[in-house]
Amino acid sequence: TRQETLLQLLEVALQVLGERVKDASNMRVHVLCLARESTWWDKLKDSSECSSLMSNWLTYTGNYGRAPLPPWASDDRPSAFQDAVEDLANAQMIGPLMPIPTPDLSSMMYERPLFIHLAALAALAGEAEHDSKEALVQAQLTREFRYWQRWVGSEEPLPREDWGDALAWLSLVNGSDIKVMRKAVEAMGIDTPRFAEVTAGFYPGAAKGLVAPLQPDLLGEALIAEQLGKERGKRVLFLALQDSQQVSNVLAVLSRMKCMHTSDFRALAADAPQWQRTAMEAFAEAWPIHGQVMLDTGRLLGRQTLPWLLASWCLLKDEQQEFAAESFVLRTESTSVVELMVDVARASYRAAKAANAESDVAASTHNLATFLSQQGDSASRVKALAYAREAVSIRRKLAAEQ
């Protein structure tokens, strides 16, 4: 989310090192970044702030590439915990500290430093030792809520559910205009007029009146899952799917969260949690309105969106699919979500057949043949050949009639 700052830092580092190293051709720069994922690094070269020299450096074939940090070693965890306690206490101006015993950090969850830090925050708050990731995350969300309560003030009491729904919405849409957020909060039935303004104070946007885009972290994702699984969850998601940009943002957020689906991606697993069922129902309702955006977003984001898109598409009845598919532009480079494209192309083919529009039948038959061929298995290729022949036959007939 801070590409411009990182690019400036890299430019300065290369310039300084280039001045100090005699043989710059052998110069190596190691960059240590804290990030949720690595795909953003590949996108740096496409930034408008990336110079041609920096772009060449980023794409140089001799680069070592990326490597994740190794798991936190068991022997290092106690000292990391005590350092975190001390640093967090200083940041919160807590002191002097009584000795805080180190909890059992042998669990695999403490391979990630984040959970060591969450355990340190819990210990500073005087909480009993938590025995799972989920418990640590929930405890931190509770502390976050108490902090927000202090900011909003006693004149406008903020229930926990209202706070959770509003922040879940904001995390899903990835930033907002204050006026838009105020309307969304009101539509949820939340009676806290200053909530949007307080949120903008926490996350100031690039211009006045904007709330900065958020890329949900582990806490944000846990909050989204918790709130979507509750009574008002579908309303929260409905409000997040109001325009095309928000639809793309919601898909980007949920695609990073694990979806429990069947092996063919066409439905949720039987034991999928309620929040995923809520999301599927909301996406199904969005297909007739924002279907083209959903297809284009799936093509750009790749296979991580496939379970959400295909399973929600399969919730539609045949006639709903055919009505929606009539207006879609199907791009043949959508290979990462090809299973979805085959299903959509079938609906388009059925709609064209029902309308008895031969030119549309030819186009939809050609698309269906293309996507079936891209699936790669022998059965799909046999079907693809049959549809391709049908498309050629129809076009020859149309040409002869003209």
Side-chain angles (χ1 to χ4, degrees):
T1 56
R2 301 178 64 184
Q3 290 188 352
E4 182 179 349
T5 303
L6 180 57
L7 286 167
Q8 291 174 349
L9 179 62
L10 291 173
E11 291 272 11
V12 171
L14 289 175
Q15 181 181 348
V16 172
L17 289 172
E19 293 171 353
R20 295 183 180 181
V21 178
K22 292 182 179 180
D23 185 5
S25 62
N26 292 322
M27 183 174 65
R28 292 290 182 268
V29 178
H30 295 266
V31 182
L32 178 64
C33 296
L34 298 178
R36 289 287 317 282
E37 55 187 0
S38 59
T39 54
W40 61 272
W41 179 264
D42 296 327
K43 297 175 183 177
L44 279 177
K45 66 182 186 301
D46 301 321
S47 169
S48 60
E49 304 296 328
C50 186
S51 66
S52 57
L53 179 64
M54 179 57 64
S55 179
N56 291 337
W57 181 78
L58 289 170
T59 56
Y60 174 55
T61 56
N63 285 342
Y64 287 138
R66 301 184 303 268
L69 287 174
W72 217 252
S74 297
D75 293 343
D76 297 330
R77 295 174 195 174
S79 59
F81 173 83
Q82 291 298 337
D83 288 344
V85 167
E86 183 178 344
D87 291 341
L88 291 167
N90 289 335
Q92 298 178 55
M93 292 181 286
I94 300 173
L97 278 178
M98 296 291 289
I100 292 180
T102 301
D104 179 11
L105 301 174
S106 60
S107 170
M108 286 182 63
M109 68 180 177
Y110 293 115
E111 289 181 350
R112 295 179 62 181
L114 170 64
F115 291 102
I116 295 178
H117 294 168
L118 290 178
L121 283 167
L124 277 174
E127 299 171 10
E129 185 175 338
H130 298 287
D131 59 0
S132 69
K133 293 180 181 179
E134 293 76 17
L136 281 169
V137 169
Q138 285 301 319
Q140 181 60 25
L141 285 174
T142 298
R143 289 191 293 274
E144 294 266 357
F145 169 59
R146 291 171 183 162
Y147 183 64
W148 276 78
Q149 276 185 312
R150 291 198 296 271
W151 268 81
V152 173
S154 58
E155 295 180 3
E156 295 181 0
L158 182 65
R160 170 68 170 76
E161 289 305 304
D162 289 352
W163 172 83
D165 285 340
L167 278 197
W169 175 88
L170 182 62
S171 298
L172 286 165
V173 302
N174 206 13
S176 173
D177 180 287
I178 287 181
K179 294 179 180 178
V180 173
M181 183 175 185
R182 193 183 295 124
K183 289 180 180 179
V185 168
E186 290 174 359
M188 292 178 209
I190 298 173
D191 186 21
T192 306
R194 290 182 53 241
F195 187 87
E197 285 70 18
V198 172
T199 304
F202 275 96
Y203 307 108
K208 187 177 181 180
L210 297 179
V211 184
L214 308 178
Q215 181 168 333
D217 56 9
L218 190 68
L219 292 173
E221 291 177 359
L223 182 64
I224 289 171
E226 178 183 349
Q227 299 307 122
L228 293 189
K230 294 181 178 178
E231 182 179 356
R232 205 160 51 185
K234 193 170 181 179
R235 180 65 176 166
V236 171
L237 200 45
F238 172 80
L239 291 168
L241 295 171
Q242 289 299 294
D243 63 52
S244 57
Q245 184 56 57
Q246 288 185 358
V247 170
S248 295
N249 291 340
V250 171
L251 265 173
V253 170
L254 291 186
S255 66
R256 291 193 295 268
M257 300 170 67
K258 184 178 180 181
C259 178
M260 298 176 64
H261 55 81
T262 54
S263 59
D264 61 0
F265 301 101
R266 301 177 66 83
L268 285 174
D271 57 346
Q274 179 57 45
W275 74 266
Q276 294 184 14
R277 301 187 183 281
T278 298
M280 286 300 176
E281 291 171 5
F283 279 135
E285 293 181 8
W287 268 110
I289 307 168
H290 300 296
Q292 187 66 57
V293 174
M294 294 166 74
L295 287 174
D296 292 343
T297 302
R299 177 174 59 87
L300 293 172
L301 294 180
R303 274 192 93 67
Q304 58 189 355
T305 64
L306 183 60
W308 299 105
L309 292 174
L310 184 51
S312 61
W313 172 258
C314 290
L315 288 177
L316 300 178
K317 297 178 180 178
D318 284 355
E319 56 268 26
Q320 292 175 309
Q321 291 181 351
E322 291 159 17
F323 175 78
E326 282 185 294
S327 62
F328 292 164
V329 176
L330 304 185
R331 296 175 172 85
T332 54
E333 67 271 24
S334 308
T335 53
S336 59
V337 288
V338 68
E339 294 92 338
L340 171 66
M341 302 309 293
V342 167
D343 253 48
V344 173
R346 281 199 177 106
S348 178
Y349 174 76
R350 294 195 307 268
K353 281 277 193 179
N356 199 27
E358 288 196 315
S359 60
D360 291 342
V361 173
S364 60
T365 305
H366 172 76
N367 284 335
L368 183 52
T370 300
F371 292 125
L372 281 167
S373 177
Q374 289 175 355
Q375 280 195 303
D377 61 282
S378 57
S380 295
R381 286 177 175 171
V382 169
K383 293 177 184 177
L385 182 58
Y387 282 115
R389 286 172 175 163
E390 181 181 348
V392 170
S393 175
I394 295 172
R395 284 174 172 165
R396 282 176 176 169
K397 178 186 175 185
L398 291 172
E401 290 175 352
Q402 291 175 355

